[in-house]
Amino acid sequence: MRASFLGCPVDLLTMAETVDLARGAMRSRRRLQHVALNVAKFVNMRSDPVLAADVANSDVVGLDGMGIVWGARVLGLPPTPRVAGVDLLAELLAVCAQEGFKPYFLGATPAVLHEAMQAARKKHPSLVFAGSHDGYFKREQENDVVRDIQSSAADCLFIGMPTPRKERFLAAHRDELGVPFIMGVGGSFDIVAGTVRRAPPQIQKLGLEWLYRIYQEPGRMWWRYATTNTRFAGILAQALMRQAFRNPLGAAGAVPPGPSRIGG
């Protein structure tokens, strides 16, 4: 079910439902783009029209961050489990190995990309990649990368490039890539490769993965999370105040669902 979270479209789907949609797209070769929505992306799309358009034009907008999951519940949306992008990537690589779909990895450094693919093959010996390319290509090389993806006949494309570069790449080339399932995976290649450790499960459940990332990379991450988390808290507080004024007796006010783009 598609709903609206503070003006942003979200799809209230479980992991199994999301995997089924991706599998269906790969089988039918009908394009389906997935976006994993977290707090940083939600905040940044308010000042980045390209990022906002990428989210709005995506077929599935999954609840990736615990902050988004909690915020949606507080505002009255039906309880929906988190579908973390890195977990969805792991599930879909297993599907590819089992059903013969071929993924394409785009992004990260050449070394991280190589290690991520090696780790995926080690976990799934039957997995066959359609192709790969690191994310450090120059603007004049972009068309060559697009042609490589086109000729690979990939069933799914996982993009590990930072925002907004990924969004600008997709805005320019989405319609010509010829890949049925497209998904941005953020820094997931680093986790698959083992160069970045994921937070322990108990920290994930508490919604404190961002704090664990700061612990691992304080110089790069602390300002990003400090600013986006603070801004998100302010946006959510304002929404709750408006909701309280509209519902002075405390009636729950769920955000009405919008038309679903899934499969469209």
Side-chain angles (χ1 to χ4, degrees), residues 80-100:
T80 305
R82 177 191 184 201
V83 179
V86 65
D87 293 332
L88 179 56
L89 171 62
E91 292 285 337
L92 292 177
L93 288 177
V95 168
C96 287
Q98 292 162 7
E99 303 189 22

Side-chain angles (χ1 to χ4, degrees), residues 15 63-66 69 73 80-84 198 204 209:
M15 176 66 78
L63 306 186
D64 174 73
M66 281 305 299
V69 171
R73 290 178 185 175
T80 305
R82 177 191 184 201
V83 179
R198 194 170 180 200
Q204 295 178 37
E209 278 188 276

Side-chain angles (χ1 to χ4, degrees), residues 24-262:
M26 289 187 278
R27 284 178 176 170
S28 66
R29 295 202 67 82
R30 185 179 182 185
R31 195 189 72 200
L32 189 81
Q33 182 181 341
H34 177 281
V35 164
L37 184 69
N38 56 28
V39 165
K41 184 169 292 182
F42 175 83
V43 169
N44 290 332
M45 63 186 282
R46 295 192 158 222
S47 58
D48 186 333
V50 175
L51 176 57
D54 184 66
V55 173
N57 293 328
S58 294
D59 302 292
V60 179
V61 183
L63 306 186
D64 174 73
M66 281 305 299
I68 301 294
V69 171
W70 289 339
R73 290 178 185 175
V74 165
L75 291 178
L77 289 177
T80 305
R82 177 191 184 201
V83 179
V86 65
D87 293 332
L88 179 56
L89 171 62
E91 292 285 337
L92 292 177
L93 288 177
V95 168
C96 287
Q98 292 162 7
E99 303 189 22
F101 297 127
K102 295 180 181 180
Y104 191 110
F105 275 11
L106 174 64
T109 64
V112 167
L113 183 63
H114 174 76
E115 289 298 320
M117 294 174 69
Q118 288 289 90
R121 289 191 188 102
K122 185 176 180 180
K123 187 171 183 180
H124 305 289
S126 61
L127 182 64
V128 177
F129 280 89
S132 65
H133 200 289
D134 67 83
Y136 287 82
F137 52 89
K138 296 178 182 178
R139 189 64 178 267
E140 57 268 24
Q141 298 172 302
E142 191 164 295
N143 287 333
D144 292 333
V145 174
V146 171
R147 281 192 290 269
D148 189 58
I149 295 170
Q150 290 171 330
S151 63
S152 73
D155 297 294
C156 47
L157 171 64
F158 299 106
I159 306 179
M161 297 193 301
T163 294
R165 192 177 180 207
K166 171 181 69 67
E167 287 74 25
R168 288 184 166 78
F169 178 84
L170 285 176
H173 304 293
R174 175 175 22 233
D175 294 335
E176 57 186 295
L177 293 173
V179 182
F181 182 74
I182 300 172
M183 174 184 170
V185 296
S188 295
F189 291 162
D190 294 277
I191 294 174
V192 175
T195 55
V196 172
R197 295 190 308 277
R198 194 170 180 200
Q202 60 270 30
I203 293 180
Q204 295 178 37
K205 290 178 183 178
L206 291 171
L208 296 175
E209 278 188 276
W210 60 274
L211 197 57
Y212 194 79
R213 289 298 307 278
I214 292 176
Y215 165 72
Q216 290 190 84
E217 302 178 83
R220 189 167 75 91
M221 291 293 179
W222 81 269
W223 180 246
R224 168 190 161 180
Y225 284 118
T227 53
T228 56
N229 285 4
T230 300
R231 288 173 64 190
F232 179 74
I235 293 166
L236 188 58
Q238 289 178 347
L240 288 171
M241 289 174 65
R242 287 194 298 269
Q243 191 176 83
F245 287 136
R246 287 196 303 266
N247 302 286
L249 299 180
V255 182
S260 175
R261 287 183 52 85
I262 296 172

